[in-house]
Amino acid sequence: MQPSELLDLIRQALSLTSDYQVEKKLGFSQGCVSGWRRNVSFPKNAVLIQFAKILNMNAGILMIYGLEYREKDTEAKEQIGKLINAIHHAKFDDSFVNSHA
């Protein structure tokens, strides 16, 4: 997932029509949001936790996307991508969620 795709998900979840609205509503600088839009930076983990709450999802998933984005080693990046693909296709039932609560 690219940072711009994540930004689009946040805009959609909050019914916002511009990146400027994201900046104002969530208190981010124009530089941060612009970096995400241009795919030159990925949000920090603290921001990913905030985004996960907005998206009603596990923050760890977004953090793994961040890890993949930041990884420079081609082989390591490929392995992280395989992990993301496996998670994406995994089926978790409530017993998995409840057993680790």
Side-chain angles (χ1 to χ4, degrees):
M1 175 182 298
Q2 292 294 310
S4 60
E5 294 171 308
L6 179 56
L7 187 55
D8 288 341
L9 290 174
I10 292 300
R11 281 180 46 179
Q12 182 179 12
L14 295 174
S15 300
L16 302 175
T17 58
S18 71
D19 291 349
Y20 177 79
Q21 290 176 325
V22 173
E23 294 167 20
K24 294 304 172 193
K25 181 161 184 79
L26 300 177
F28 297 119
S29 71
Q30 187 274 332
C32 281
V33 175
S34 175
W36 303 335
R37 175 57 61 205
R38 294 179 294 120
N39 295 320
V40 297
S41 63
F42 205 89
K44 295 180 179 182
N45 285 343
V47 173
L48 295 177
I49 291 168
Q50 182 180 2
F51 284 179
K53 290 176 184 175
I54 292 168
L55 297 170
N56 193 30
M57 65 183 297
N58 185 296
I61 299 298
L62 296 181
M63 290 178 191
I64 293 172
Y65 279 115
L67 180 66
E68 179 190 39
Y69 177 87
R70 293 179 187 99
E71 182 57 57
K72 302 296 183 213
D73 181 83
T74 305
E75 187 174 353
K77 191 175 199 91
E78 181 182 320
Q79 292 301 315
I80 296 167
K82 288 179 181 181
L83 175 61
I84 290 170
N85 190 44
I87 291 169
H88 177 75
H89 290 96
K91 302 290 184 210
F92 299 109
D93 61 18
D94 289 339
S95 64
F96 173 81
V97 175
N98 293 331
S99 68
H100 293 87

